[in-house]
Amino acid sequence: MALTGVEIFKLLPKTNCKKCGHPTCLAFAMKLAQRQATLDSCPDVSDEAKKILGEASAPPVRPITLGSGDKAVKMGEETVLFRHEKKFVNPCVFAVEIKDTLSVEEIAKTAGEVVGSEIDRVGQKLRVDAIALTNASGDAAKFEAAAKVVAAEAPGVPVILCTENPQAAEAAVKLFTGNKPVLYGANASNAEAMANIAKANKATLGVFAAGLDELSTLTEKVKSLGVEDMVIDSGARKAKDIIENNTLIRRAAIKKNFKPLGFPVISFMQREDSLHEALLGVVGIAKYSSIVVMSSIEKWKNLALFTLRQNVYTDPQVPMQVEQKIYSIGEATQESPLFITTNFSLTYFIVSGEIENSKVASRLAVMDSEGLSVLTAWAAGKFTASKIAQFITESGIEKEMAQKEIIIPGYVAILSGSIEDKLPGWKITVGPREANAIPAFLKSRSA
Ligand code: SF4
């Protein structure tokens, strides 16, 4: 059970020294209880208290890293049930299954597709994060051979090795030691052997049981064998069961601090029907799966799931923003037009995309509006004539322009007069209301 603020307070030094940045030990204790502070902020806490509080203040869903280096992905560490309460911390991992029954060429082709799956969306790199190699053949030698192809064709890509055969597990996992793989396939009958292999190779152990009772018993057993890092599978495969079991697991971890289920969840979504599979992927993303295993890489499916994942895991309290500056789009010259907009990511990418489509080299002044879109920023007093004038003046952009002209978004046409007043010598032109009208607008200017 999580400790209350008062229980935590009893374990603190009670000197109210403020070194933790809080006015009193009680205030700090309350923040710790709400998981809004970490124990290391108090330098004077005793070792005994550290031991008790360290356990109690650990994230209810254990943080696990899959892979190493720049392709490593973090999972778990979640602290809330609902995104509007705070935010979801670590986006779920997308993995694509490769069966060891495929030919070397087919394995290499899919591994290569995973490597090349990255896309850029509103300034973030999104990709299929991992390969789930499954021992569909049941043969240890085949599994090892397939693992060698994956290691060669997708170096550095995190892997999930799926087998219930300890011999196959041992042969394959050795190829990825140091790359923090997941070794999935521990169950009630092979737990000891699999735990030893995971420990020896510093792998996270994927634990499977049919149902939550068996699963929590098994994770306790695995923990007693010396394995702390686990991902868990309750056996849910239908949408209804995935929602139900994942919700119960998350609720037990967050609300009850029930450690046997406080691990990232792995969900297997592979289906013959791609649309069905994509819908199950949606369920996993929305309802607490930390790893979603799919059967194939199809661009339409990736794009839909990437977008959903990005939306679910964006902090609702912090709009996505781009840096305030003047961006050149194309080879901007002294004659190039200058647009201005706000720094909400989506606004920036849509406007810059339409300017690019127009094939007219331009400049785009992106003003810090705390990530708000044009109309919202204007209504909130963050995209005003004074602020625009200050930004343009301080940028010094006029030195690079033959004609001092700025094109403002059509939705804030009302600002044109006051910007003119604040920016003497500048011509203020009202641009289109919608970004998709920019190419026609630029064409009409050059006609
Ligand atoms: Fe209390 Fe520790 Fe904070 Fe000092 S640093 S006020 S002792 S909790």
Side-chain angles (χ1 to χ4, degrees):
M1 288 287 286
L3 297 179
T4 65
V6 174
E7 285 166 335
I8 295 170
F9 171 67
K10 287 179 187 163
L11 296 161
L12 293 177
K14 298 187 209 65
T15 57
N16 297 334
C17 72
K18 300 186 178 60
K19 287 185 218 162
C20 58
H22 294 85
T24 61
C25 293
L26 183 60
F28 181 60
M30 292 303 171
K31 288 286 175 194
L32 275 181
Q34 292 160 16
R35 300 184 195 285
Q36 289 173 356
T38 53
L39 191 56
D40 52 14
S41 300
C42 173
D44 302 327
V45 72
S46 71
D47 286 347
E48 192 199 345
K50 255 187 210 159
K51 193 165 173 290
I52 302 168
L53 291 174
E55 179 101 335
S57 64
V61 181
R62 187 174 174 81
I64 304 278
T65 300
L66 169 62
S68 60
D70 60 356
K71 291 199 170 75
V73 275
K74 282 184 85 180
M75 303 176 285
E77 233 173 345
E78 303 299 339
T79 57
V80 292
L81 271 175
F82 303 108
R83 181 178 171 271
H84 62 259
E85 292 176 82
K86 202 172 173 195
K87 66 170 183 173
F88 291 165
V89 182
N90 288 313
C92 60
V93 169
F94 287 143
V96 166
E97 178 188 31
I98 298 181
K99 293 180 178 167
D100 68 351
T101 46
L102 296 175
S103 67
V104 169
E105 291 74 27
E106 287 168 321
I107 294 172
K109 180 171 173 280
T110 308
E113 285 171 353
V114 172
V115 173
S117 66
E118 187 170 282
I119 62 162
D120 190 316
R121 185 171 184 274
V122 288
Q124 287 186 356
K125 306 280 184 210
L126 310 174
R127 61 175 174 254
V128 174
D129 309 282
I131 290 171
L133 182 64
T134 55
N135 187 202
S137 68
D139 182 282
K142 266 200 167 163
F143 193 53
E144 183 183 6
K148 280 183 181 159
V149 179
V150 167
E153 298 295 330
V157 171
V159 290
I160 302 161
L161 300 164
C162 306
T163 179
E164 292 175 17
N165 175 352
Q167 200 193 346
E170 188 154 32
V173 79
K174 285 196 170 105
L175 302 168
F176 302 98
T177 304
N179 196 26
K180 270 286 231 146
V182 166
L183 176 58
Y184 167 88
N187 55 37
S189 55
N190 68 7
E192 195 164 344
M194 294 291 272
N196 288 337
I197 297 166
K199 258 192 305 183
N201 293 282
K202 298 191 169 43
T204 294
L205 194 59
V207 175
F208 165 83
L212 302 183
D213 289 343
E214 266 185 46
L215 184 60
S216 53
T217 307
L218 191 54
T219 58
E220 287 286 83
K221 178 177 173 182
V222 168
K223 192 172 176 197
S224 73
L225 293 166
V227 175
E228 299 277 350
D229 287 347
M230 286 177 249
V231 294
I232 55 176
D233 174 13
S234 67
R237 297 293 181 267
K238 292 182 184 162
K240 171 185 167 293
D241 298 337
I242 293 169
I243 293 172
E244 194 171 297
N245 282 7
N246 284 10
T247 304
L248 289 169
I249 289 170
R250 176 67 72 90
R251 191 177 289 276
I254 304 276
K255 294 288 179 198
K256 306 285 180 193
N257 206 17
F258 184 63
K259 294 293 180 192
L261 293 180
F263 298 98
V265 171
I266 182 168
S267 297
F268 293 89
M269 309 305 194
Q270 304 99 305
R271 292 294 186 282
E272 290 283 315
D273 177 352
S274 269
L275 185 57
H276 185 191
E277 180 172 300
L279 290 171
L280 285 175
V282 166
V283 169
I285 293 164
K287 277 292 167 192
Y288 312 139
S289 295
S290 285
I291 302 177
V292 169
V293 182
M294 312 294 282
S295 67
S296 61
I297 291 193
E298 288 156 282
K299 283 205 169 121
W300 67 266
K301 190 165 66 179
N302 287 355
L303 189 57
L305 297 179
F306 286 168
T307 306
L308 177 68
R309 175 177 65 173
Q310 190 178 31
N311 286 336
V312 170
Y313 283 88
T314 298
D315 186 344
Q317 293 164 38
V318 184
M320 291 171 72
Q321 307 177 23
V322 294
E323 187 191 345
Q324 166 171 296
K325 67 176 188 176
I326 296 184
Y327 294 80
S328 270
I329 299 169
E331 300 282 322
T333 66
Q334 283 210 324
E335 315 299 328
S336 298
L338 170 69
F339 289 82
I340 188 163
T341 192
T342 64
N343 75 331
F344 177 42
S345 280
L346 211 52
T347 300
Y348 166 75
F349 282 100
I350 290 172
V351 172
S352 62
E354 292 297 346
I355 294 174
E356 247 178 83
N357 287 345
S358 74
K359 310 256 185 297
V360 177
S362 305
R363 291 189 177 87
L364 178 57
V366 172
M367 200 181 108
D368 184 0
S369 60
E370 297 176 22
L372 300 178
S373 60
V374 169
L375 266 183
T376 318
W378 169 70
K382 298 183 191 307
F383 195 60
T384 61
S386 312
K387 287 181 178 168
I388 291 171
Q390 187 186 358
F391 169 45
I392 293 297
T393 306
E394 287 176 359
S395 73
I397 189 65
E398 66 175 88
K399 291 191 223 101
E400 295 174 38
M401 297 178 70
Q403 266 197 324
K404 292 196 283 179
E405 182 194 11
I406 184 163
I407 302 163
I408 64 170
Y411 276 117
V412 289
I414 195 169
L415 290 178
S416 62
S418 43
I419 299 174
E420 231 158 39
D421 291 345
K422 309 251 180 232
L423 278 178
W426 281 77
K427 178 181 174 196
I428 311 302
T429 300
V430 175
R433 289 162 79 96
E434 300 295 343
N436 61 9
I438 288 176
F441 170 81
L442 283 171
K443 205 170 159 197
S444 70
R445 282 166 60 92
S446 57

